[in-house]
Structure formats: C-alpha cells, structure tokens
Amino acid sequence: MTLTELKYIVAVAREKHFGRAAEACHVSQPTLSVAVRKLENELEVKLFERSASEVSVTPLGEEIVRQAQSVLEQAAAIKEIAKRGKDPLAGALTLGVIYTIGPYLLPELVRHAIARTPQMPLMLQENFTVRLLEMLRTGEIDCAILAEPFPDTGLAIAPLYDEPFMAAVPASHPLAAQDSVSATQLKNETMLLLGAGHCFRDHVLEVCPEFARYATNAEGIRRTFEGSSLETIKHMVSAGMGVTLVPRLSVPRDALHAGARRRKSDIAPIRYLPIVEADGSPPPQRRVVLAWRRSFTRYEAVAALRNAVYACELPGVARLS
C-alpha cells in the first residue's frame, strides 16, 4: 500500500462520494477508484459499500480509515519536523471557529496573527461545533475555537476565556429601564433563539429551560422564534419581537454606555443588561477553548495562536491561563 492510496480512502470516507473525493485529491475518478479497489484487494477486505446515491464506510473500513488518517498525519509530521529546523511557525494554520465567536473575535485575532507571525497565515473555517469536531478528526482543520461543553473526542484543550452572557432587550421594553436583569424576569418574556445546531442555543436554554418548548416541532413556533445568526436575532430584538441572550463580545462597545441617561433621540434600539441574581449566584457564561488533535505536532503554532488571542482586547471576559 502507498500513502497516496491511504489519502484516497480517507477522502472517500470524508466525501462519501468517489467523484467528489477525486476532485478533492486532484485526480480523475477512474484513477482514484482503481487505487481504492487495489488497496481493498491487497487487504482482502471491503472498505466501502457502494450505491447509486452514496458511498458508506464498512465497520472494518471505519477502523482502517482512522488508522490511515493517523499514518498520513505522522507522514506529514516528518515534513513539519524538517520545517521546524528552519522556522517552527512556517506554513499556514487552518483554524475553525463556531458561528457565535467568529464575527466578534476573528477580525482582531487575524490582525494580531499577521503582525506577530506573518509566516503563518490563518486559513479560516466557520461552522457548527459538530462539524468542526468532525473536521478536526479527519484532519481538514488543524485546530478550532469552540465553546464548552462538547463531546469528548480525545482532543487536546487549552482554555482561552470565560465569557458572560448579557440580556438584549428592546429599548422600549420596561426591562430597559433597569441596570440589570435576572433569569427569573427573562422567563416571563418572549425569548428569541438561534436555530438548531448552534451550541449557543443550548447555553440559552440552560439559563431559561422553560423556553425549550420553542425547540419542539410544533407548527409555526420554530419559524417564529428561531433565527439563523446572532445578528439576525438582534434585529428581531430591535424590532420589538422579543428578548434574547448574547455573548459579551458580541455587544457593541458604544451600547455599553447605554446605562447613562440620554436624550430620547439618542437611545439605541437595543439595551444590553448584565444578568444578576438576587442570591448572588454567578452570571451565566460560557468557556471558550482552543482544541486540536493530540497527534498534531505544531505545538509552537498552537502556542502562537493562543498568544494572538490573548493579545486581543476581549472586553468583559475573564482570560484563562
């Protein structure tokens, strides 16, 4: 068997389609198919179940593909070791980020990364947590910035910061006159949620479990109370359709001064309030971490990325070391 054949079966397992796998490997489909068949004959096992619509991996094939991915990573590590002798940070780093972090962290993070390590350009991928975990497993990305909790996949984890949530309410809402709000008060409101797949949706439901009813398949409710992004949800809040929770870094800086009394014409359409409980319990928050495969060998690159995150201003969050 060859590394090329191992690369082909990993691509087929990832794409679940021979044509797309061939495109990803920059070869013709017949070339890839012949190589896969040759490897199956050599191993005397069936790696894939083929159908007209999709290719699936056999149970034994799953194990072989995982080992193939490990072999490819170790082979790539040999090149990385050689590069490290010249410059340990040379080469692009592929970074995945979840949707509710990317827009608020990446602009400043990329600026610091370029200034600190210009020889290590960041290749960015925004996606859901579940998809980023899969991309980490298959080697499509090198590392990812995620919010805990997520399924234990044997990844190496470095904590970055704890980020509190804030309540976003329409400026015309009675709660907007307060300096803070409690989770109990929010339970009486119309809560606007992100759609299924967003981990931040689950964080909101942990704070206000009563709103789990909006996650059902009841006709009309999903369409009424779910949005595709935090910015969409904010527009719904500003239109007076309800309230929501947002991570601290998503709050516009000028909005934090909304507590000061202004002329009516100057009032922003959304008021952002800290969540404070009468019993003194800590406000709801999420822990943001950097995750990477334990087999990933570019430790200096991971450390440089983490330092670039710490160089960001990150207002209102608690940095972790």
Side-chain angles (χ1 to χ4, degrees), residues 30-285:
T31 297
L32 182 139
S33 298
V34 168
V36 171
R37 180 68 70 183
K38 175 178 174 291
L39 183 59
E40 287 181 319
N41 290 338
E42 178 182 346
L43 298 175
E44 297 182 349
V45 297
K46 193 172 186 179
L47 300 175
F48 303 104
E49 295 287 353
R50 300 156 173 85
S51 68
S53 59
E54 188 179 72
V55 175
S56 60
V57 188
T58 64
L60 185 57
E62 287 275 7
E63 188 174 347
I64 292 173
V65 167
R66 281 196 297 271
Q67 186 62 36
Q69 177 66 45
S70 178
V71 170
L72 291 172
E73 289 182 6
Q74 293 302 316
I78 295 174
K79 294 181 179 179
E80 293 299 334
I81 291 171
K83 281 184 182 178
R84 227 179 280 160
K86 302 174 183 177
D87 184 350
L89 300 177
L93 184 73
T94 305
L95 171 66
V97 186
I98 58 175
Y99 290 117
T100 57
I101 292 178
Y104 317 110
L105 176 64
L106 285 180
E108 191 175 1
L109 173 59
V110 170
R111 179 168 60 82
H112 283 292
I114 291 173
R116 289 164 168 263
T117 53
Q119 74 276 39
M120 188 185 77
L122 294 180
M123 309 297 290
L124 304 173
Q125 171 70 241
E126 226 182 1
N127 220 309
F128 295 110
T129 298
V130 172
R131 176 60 182 138
L132 291 178
L133 291 173
E134 174 66 16
M135 295 174 77
L136 275 173
R137 187 183 69 80
T138 60
E140 293 177 74
I141 59 176
D142 299 321
C143 52
I145 297 177
L146 308 168
E148 291 184 329
F150 49 82
D152 182 6
T153 56
L155 297 171
I157 301 293
L160 295 175
Y161 55 84
D162 286 336
E163 182 178 22
F165 303 155
M166 296 189 74
V169 304
S172 58
H173 195 285
L175 290 176
Q178 301 181 181
D179 293 327
S180 63
V181 68
S182 68
T184 301
Q185 289 175 305
L186 294 174
K187 292 172 184 177
N188 300 319
E189 303 299 326
T190 298
M191 180 66 70
L192 304 176
L193 299 173
L194 284 171
H198 289 276
C199 61
F200 191 74
R201 167 197 179 90
D202 300 326
H203 296 154
V204 174
L205 293 178
E206 286 178 10
V207 179
C208 300
E210 292 78 6
F211 296 110
R213 65 182 181 274
Y214 297 145
T216 68
N217 290 318
E219 183 62 29
I221 289 181
R222 289 177 66 95
R223 293 194 297 273
T224 302
F225 292 98
E226 292 186 359
S228 59
S229 72
L230 277 178
E231 295 308 309
T232 300
I233 293 288
K234 288 181 184 179
H235 284 297
M236 295 168 68
V237 171
S238 67
M241 297 178 66
V243 305
T244 195
L245 299 188
V246 296
R248 175 62 177 76
L249 291 183
S250 75
V251 178
R253 297 189 183 188
D254 57 354
L256 295 177
H257 304 294
R261 294 294 176 257
R262 304 179 178 182
R263 296 191 310 272
K264 189 172 182 179
S265 59
D266 292 337
I267 296 177
I270 300 178
R271 180 84 194 280
Y272 296 93
L273 302 170
I275 301 172
V276 178
E277 300 299 339
D279 61 2
S281 58
Q285 63 182 15

Side-chain angles (χ1 to χ4, degrees), residues 88-89 93-95 109 117 120 122 142-144 156-158 160 290-293 296-310:
L89 300 177
L93 184 73
T94 305
L95 171 66
L109 173 59
T117 53
M120 188 185 77
L122 294 180
D142 299 321
C143 52
I157 301 293
L160 295 175
L290 179 62
W292 66 95
R293 293 182 307 282
F296 187 59
T297 59
R298 296 180 63 190
Y299 308 113
E300 297 89 350
V302 171
L305 177 63
R306 193 180 184 193
N307 289 336
V309 172
Y310 287 146

